[in-house]
Amino acid sequence: MHDKPAASPVHRAWAAGRGLLDGHTVPRRALDLLVPLICFALMLLDVPGLAEADNSLNSLTAAAVLALGASSLLLRRRFPWIPYVVALGLLGWLHELTLMQFALYKIGRYRGRAAAVLATLGYIVFAYVLFLLQRWPEKQADTLMEFLSLIVPIGVLAAGVGVAANRQDLVRELEVEKGRAAGLQAVQQERLSVARDVHDFVGRELTLLAVRAEVLAVRARGEAHQKDFDELSDTARKAHRILNEIIVQRAREKDATPGIDALAVLASEGERAGSPVVLDIDGRAGALSPLRQAAVYRVVQECLTNAVKHAPGQEVRVRICLDGGRLRIEVCNDLPSAVPAKEPVSAGTGTFSMGERVESMGGTLEAGHHDGKYRVVATLPAGV
């Protein structure tokens, strides 16, 4: 016979393990081994009582049996009912309750509330049958009330904690999925914006090409090159039509993206919002293609928006320069001296949008804290 097992050490040990897991300090495989070892260590406390009981076990064989029982927890993720069945066996043979606590927790954790309730009821009924058959040690419970006060709290508590952990896992997975969905939505929005810009700018050039080819075809009328100019005009119109079919149907936004000239307007809007803006723009930036200018505008716009939300009142410095064949956009601001009283409203997808636009044009984007400032640096081919 052995003394009444305590539930609290199990839950304290498991809480410590969960804390380590949440902190990403214990690899999953190590945790898979750690849980059975914790269970076995707790069951070893019962070995002296098992060795003294009338069950044909000595200290070594009792430890071996308990080790085999604890090892069933290695299957707890994919087959949590296996440790449960093993725990029922140990409960009927040795009246060992420790493994049952782990088993009920795992069923609640990996199979949810319905399975946890079913497993807990099965455990209570099984133990009650043992009590009625007088297969339960009198030292642990002499009366029915003593028996129930021992059996029921252990099962309900273990299963309840498991169900709570299951819900936490579901909430955590939902938050991850929501973040991923928001990121994908931001990427899609940016792709649509880029597609719209491609249509606006490339479509205009194709139209000019078609008109120019028609003019040349008229001038070359009666000459050998007239047919070539006509074909060139038809090709330009066909390309424009395909561009409309592929892009316009996917990008419904109406307004064209502004360019370098509109940065002064952005700066004035930022100053009205309480964040002074200093612009340092290379004079050669005005020669950038409309697509490059649209990329510059979108990156600066998002950076100024973030600065107003997360670092209100701090000066924002915007520098746009051309170095060889590369265009560099750098926006930085000091970090706020105090945490804002209210958390700013933010979807957290601005970096996705900026990165998608820059990368779609063969560039790179870096954003983060640097020397006490928040800095965003975008580098992409200048295309001039």
Side-chain angles (χ1 to χ4, degrees):
M1 296 183 186
H2 53 289
D3 296 334
K4 172 183 176 179
S8 55
V10 177
H11 298 294
R12 286 200 300 269
W14 180 246
R18 284 283 298 172
L20 291 174
L21 179 62
D22 292 338
H24 304 288
T25 57
V26 176
R28 177 170 173 172
R29 291 185 178 180
L31 187 67
D32 286 343
L33 295 175
L34 180 63
V35 171
L37 289 176
I38 292 176
C39 179
F40 178 61
L42 292 173
M43 289 194 295
L44 283 179
L45 300 176
D46 295 330
V47 167
L50 294 175
E52 296 175 1
D54 185 16
N55 50 31
S56 303
L57 295 177
N58 55 35
S59 297
L60 292 179
T61 55
V65 169
L66 296 180
L68 289 175
S71 65
S72 66
L73 290 172
L74 294 172
L75 306 173
R76 67 189 183 277
R77 296 185 188 273
R78 296 186 60 184
F79 309 105
W81 290 102
I82 292 180
Y84 177 75
V85 173
V86 174
L88 288 178
L90 290 181
L91 182 65
W93 180 22
L94 304 176
H95 310 106
E96 174 58 52
L97 293 172
T98 304
L99 181 59
M100 179 56 69
Q101 298 176 68
F102 280 84
L104 289 174
Y105 173 86
K106 297 306 175 183
I107 289 177
R109 171 79 185 281
Y110 298 118
R111 292 298 181 267
R113 181 173 59 183
V117 171
L118 179 63
T120 303
L121 291 177
Y123 147 74
I124 294 175
V125 170
F126 182 81
Y128 182 60
V129 171
L130 293 178
F131 180 80
L132 293 180
L133 296 177
Q134 297 182 351
R135 294 284 306 276
W136 197 261
E138 293 182 358
K139 184 177 180 180
Q140 289 190 7
D142 190 22
T143 65
L144 177 60
M145 291 304 299
E146 292 178 353
F147 170 79
L148 293 178
S149 65
L150 169 66
I151 292 297
V152 175
I154 288 177
V156 172
L157 180 60
V161 173
V163 172
N166 176 264
R167 292 188 175 182
Q168 289 180 355
D169 291 341
L170 293 177
V171 170
R172 192 177 295 111
E173 291 176 5
L174 180 60
E175 291 176 349
V176 171
E177 288 299 323
K178 287 175 63 178
R180 185 180 294 113
L184 292 176
Q185 184 178 7
V187 168
Q188 185 63 21
Q189 292 273 351
E190 190 60 26
R191 286 177 177 174
L192 291 177
S193 180
V194 171
R196 181 212 59 212
D197 293 338
V198 169
H199 170 263
D200 291 343
F201 302 129
V202 178
R204 182 183 63 182
E205 300 301 324
L206 288 174
T207 300
L208 293 175
L209 176 61
V211 172
R212 183 61 177 166
E214 289 177 356
V215 172
L216 293 175
V218 171
R219 292 179 180 178
R221 182 169 297 170
E223 298 181 6
H225 297 298
Q226 178 183 355
K227 182 179 179 181
D228 296 332
F229 288 130
D230 287 335
E231 291 179 353
L232 179 60
S233 177
D234 292 340
T235 301
R237 290 183 180 280
K238 182 180 179 180
H240 197 185
R241 188 165 52 251
I242 293 174
L243 188 68
N244 285 336
E245 293 175 354
I246 294 177
I247 294 180
V248 175
Q249 298 302 322
R250 300 182 183 179
R252 300 289 186 180
E253 299 174 14
K254 297 180 180 179
D255 300 329
T257 302
I260 297 292
D261 295 338
L263 293 182
V265 177
L266 282 181
S268 63
E269 292 175 353
E271 291 178 356
R272 286 197 299 270
S275 296
V277 179
V278 178
L279 294 176
D280 182 7
I281 304 176
D282 193 319
R284 296 170 293 173
L288 293 171
S289 67
L291 281 177
R292 295 297 190 280
Q293 293 196 36
V296 172
Y297 181 88
R298 290 302 189 196
V299 170
V300 174
Q301 181 185 46
E302 183 62 35
C303 290
L304 294 182
T305 300
N306 288 340
V308 170
K309 289 191 297 186
H310 300 287
Q314 300 297 327
E315 184 181 75
V316 184
R317 291 167 291 282
V318 179
R319 185 169 183 267
I320 301 168
C321 61
L322 282 81
D323 184 10
R326 307 294 292 179
L327 168 65
R328 178 183 173 89
I329 310 165
E330 181 177 345
V331 183
C332 67
N333 59 267
D334 294 330
L335 299 177
S337 57
V339 179
K342 293 184 178 181
E343 186 71 18
V345 179
S346 175
T349 57
T351 303
F352 278 102
S353 300
M354 290 190 294
E356 177 66 18
R357 178 177 285 270
V358 172
E359 290 172 7
S360 70
M361 304 177 73
T364 59
L365 180 81
E366 298 179 359
H369 294 181
H370 182 76
D371 294 336
K373 305 178 184 298
Y374 189 82
R375 187 176 67 173
V376 176
V377 179
T379 306
L380 62 156
V384 296

